[in-house]
Amino acid sequence: MNTPAAPAPTHRVQIEYCTQCRWLPRAAWLAQELLTTFEAELDELALKPGTGGVFVVRVDGDVVWDRREHGFPEPTAVKRLVRDRVAPGRTLGHSDRSAE
């Protein structure tokens, strides 16, 4: 008897950005980078307008990057943090090599 495959885990990324600071282009660019890298692992990527200088990246509701604590992220740094949550053990190719 065939047993149905277990459903793949679902993951959601949210990028909250400051509209007053005009950070939508930066948030959209980071979103594109993440969607391109993790197209099979992410079910959703949301851009959330905010105010007060906010630029926060969340994976499944957990903050993985906050501009107030770490400054603006390099895409490679965020990709590593997202990878560790949605695809642990997966290589990011040349992005991983630059961390060595």
Side-chain angles (χ1 to χ4, degrees):
M1 178 180 271
N2 284 339
T3 346
T10 60
H11 297 285
R12 179 180 195 268
V13 171
Q14 179 189 74
I15 302 171
E16 185 176 2
Y17 65 95
C18 180
T19 58
Q20 296 167 317
C21 302
R22 306 273 188 230
W23 288 339
L24 173 59
R26 185 184 298 255
W29 175 65
L30 183 58
Q32 177 183 333
E33 289 288 316
L34 293 173
L35 286 169
T36 301
T37 302
F38 301 107
E39 62 186 19
E41 291 85 3
L42 299 181
D43 292 318
E44 180 180 358
L45 192 145
L47 296 176
K48 180 180 179 183
T51 58
V54 67
F55 196 92
V56 175
V57 179
R58 295 179 180 88
V59 177
D60 298 329
D62 297 328
V63 173
V64 296
W65 193 278
D66 188 334
R67 181 200 63 82
R68 291 183 181 164
E69 294 176 22
H70 309 291
F72 277 110
E74 288 295 323
T76 302
V78 176
K79 285 180 184 182
R80 285 187 198 115
L81 293 168
V82 170
R83 183 264 324 265
D84 292 348
R85 299 290 184 109
V86 305
R90 176 180 159 193
T91 181
L92 292 176
H94 70 279
S95 296
D96 277 337
R97 287 193 294 276
S98 65
E100 297 171 353

